[in-house]
Amino acid sequence: MAALLCLHSTFLNVTVKPLAVLNKPKKLCVPFELKQGQTRLFHQLPSGLNMEVLEQKSVKNKDPDEKMRETSENPPLVFVHGSYHAAWCWAEHWLPFFSASGFDCYAISLLAQGESDAPAGTVAGSLQTHAGDIADFIQKNLCSPPVLLGHSFGGLIIQYYIAKIRNEQSSDTETPFRELAGAVLVCSVPPSGNSGLVWRYLFSKPVAAFKVTRSLAAKAFQTDLSLCKETFFSSAMEDPLVLRYQELMKESSRMPLFDLRKLNASLPVPSVPKSSIEVLVVGAKDDFIVDIEGLNETGRFYGVSPVCVEGVAHDMMLDCSWEKGAAAILSWLDNLSN
């Protein structure tokens, strides 16, 4: 009941309309049609800027013969995307999957991504500001500690959030960084950043290094369908689906998430005591961006054994075998609740 009283305390007033109407009042930056049961909301940050949130509440199982998960016992899930993506990347498959499994789900679009407002300047923010925006959303809208799930650079933002919790616990000042029930790092940039990945590729896989640089730094994935597929998806992914996601990614980012030089100068993220928070580190066997050493580095940092999912690529939540990663995470969440 307490959770019901807390809902949407700082969301702007949004009239919930049929989904067909919800997407019509203004031309969206990213032409993604919400699925049944999903709502687009806007959380107003202290700066006055609005941050897009796609919400999908828990769906109780209607089959009386199947075991039902009690929603009140499950932590809410907050999803954070990486570069060239926005909240829609979670809404395609994983929000419906986890809401059907008994979890309230919230996918955030970081500033200048998706339908979120853009700040003044040339970049969307920093590790500090992005983590602060997530903390503000959690503090003002959720009544119980959530599990944060971050993909790629979104995973690095969550790592910074975790460090802020631990480092500010020892101070007497009130912190906006609330406790977490856990964290899931999905194909995450490791704590030291992506510079180690780049150097390893240059020496061990020079052709791959060139492709990754051309695809991401030069944004060639936006115009080269085969390169987009190789960068983000499995070889089994059908081209029409890759094309659809390519078009969505083109429109998802109006500014870079970070100034990469300043970001790399601020890394690695501060260390935290082992087992101070429950963390799942999950990677993809066919990841073209984050290699196995990057995955292992993140696992060592948190003192856990990473899970490497076979048959999926970097965009695990959108890949044609997206269920594999979702199932691994759900198994971990079930153990977390027990």
Side-chain angles (χ1 to χ4, degrees):
M1 180 61 71
L4 293 175
L5 296 175
C6 251
L7 291 178
H8 303 163
S9 61
T10 60
F11 285 128
L12 296 182
N13 291 331
V14 175
T15 302
V16 178
K17 304 176 181 178
L19 295 181
V21 177
L22 189 64
N23 285 331
K24 284 183 179 178
K26 66 166 187 157
K27 188 178 188 308
L28 298 176
C29 298
V30 183
F32 179 81
E33 184 175 351
L34 299 182
K35 296 182 179 296
Q36 183 66 37
Q38 295 178 353
T39 306
R40 177 177 284 109
L41 305 163
F42 291 91
H43 170 74
Q44 189 171 67
L45 297 166
S47 64
L49 297 176
N50 294 319
M51 188 167 67
E52 179 189 28
V53 181
L54 299 185
E55 174 195 74
Q56 188 159 7
K57 304 308 289 294
S58 165
V59 178
K60 289 188 177 181
N61 198 322
K62 296 181 180 180
D63 185 348
D65 295 327
E66 265 190 63
K67 180 183 177 182
M68 286 174 48
R69 293 181 175 84
E70 290 295 333
T71 304
S72 61
E73 296 178 0
N74 288 334
L77 308 182
V78 178
F79 297 82
V80 183
H81 63 84
S83 295
Y84 305 118
H85 292 65
W88 64 265
C89 72
W90 305 106
E92 181 79 344
H93 299 300
W94 281 18
L95 292 197
F97 176 86
F98 286 107
S99 69
S101 299
F103 295 87
D104 289 343
C105 298
Y106 306 88
I108 289 172
S109 287
L110 300 169
L111 289 182
Q113 322 298 307
E115 308 305 325
S116 292
D117 290 343
T122 58
V123 296
S126 63
L127 276 183
Q128 293 83 353
T129 62
H130 289 311
D133 292 343
I134 295 166
D136 188 73
F137 168 77
I138 291 172
Q139 181 185 36
K140 295 176 180 175
N141 294 284
L142 303 183
C143 294
S144 57
V147 172
L148 275 179
L149 300 92
H151 176 251
S152 198
F153 268 115
L156 190 64
I157 294 169
I158 289 176
Q159 293 175 51
Y160 182 82
Y161 186 109
I162 293 170
K164 288 293 287 184
I165 295 174
R166 294 296 163 251
N167 292 336
E168 293 190 6
Q169 275 183 337
S170 56
S171 71
D172 295 330
T173 58
E174 186 175 351
T175 172
F177 290 84
R178 296 298 173 87
E179 283 291 338
L180 300 176
V184 181
L185 306 176
V186 183
C187 300
S188 177
V189 173
S192 62
N194 65 353
S195 57
L197 300 171
V198 172
W199 282 108
R200 279 196 299 275
Y201 273 47
L202 281 172
F203 285 105
S204 63
K205 302 176 182 177
V207 174
F210 171 76
K211 286 183 175 181
V212 169
T213 301
R214 179 170 171 264
S215 181
L216 300 178
K219 302 182 183 179
F221 77 88
Q222 296 181 346
T223 55
D224 186 328
L225 188 67
S226 63
L227 186 59
C228 181
K229 184 174 184 176
E230 189 173 11
T231 303
F232 296 107
F233 305 111
S234 299
S235 58
M237 191 88 145
E238 295 182 356
D239 284 351
L241 194 53
V242 176
L243 179 61
R244 175 170 175 256
Y245 294 147
Q246 181 188 45
E247 292 297 322
L248 289 169
M249 284 189 277
K250 279 183 192 177
E251 305 299 330
S252 289
S253 181
R254 303 188 301 287
M255 286 181 182
L257 277 181
F258 309 102
D259 179 321
L260 288 180
R261 290 184 180 179
K262 291 182 179 178
L263 173 67
N264 287 326
S266 70
L267 296 173
V269 296
S271 61
V272 296
K274 298 293 188 293
S275 71
S276 61
I277 184 171
E278 295 292 333
V279 176
L280 172 65
V281 177
V282 58
K285 177 71 172 177
D286 300 327
D287 197 328
F288 193 65
I289 297 174
V290 179
D291 63 6
I292 190 65
E293 178 51 36
L295 179 66
N296 288 335
E297 177 193 331
T298 306
R300 287 193 300 270
F301 190 81
Y302 291 102
V304 299
S305 298
V307 175
C308 190
V309 182
E310 300 276 347
V312 291
H314 186 69
D315 270 20
M316 184 185 296
M317 64 288 188
L318 292 172
D319 213 351
C320 49
S321 296
W322 61 266
E323 302 99 329
K324 293 181 179 180
I329 293 169
L330 181 60
S331 176
W332 180 83
L333 287 169
D334 284 343
N335 290 330
L336 188 68
S337 302
N338 293 336

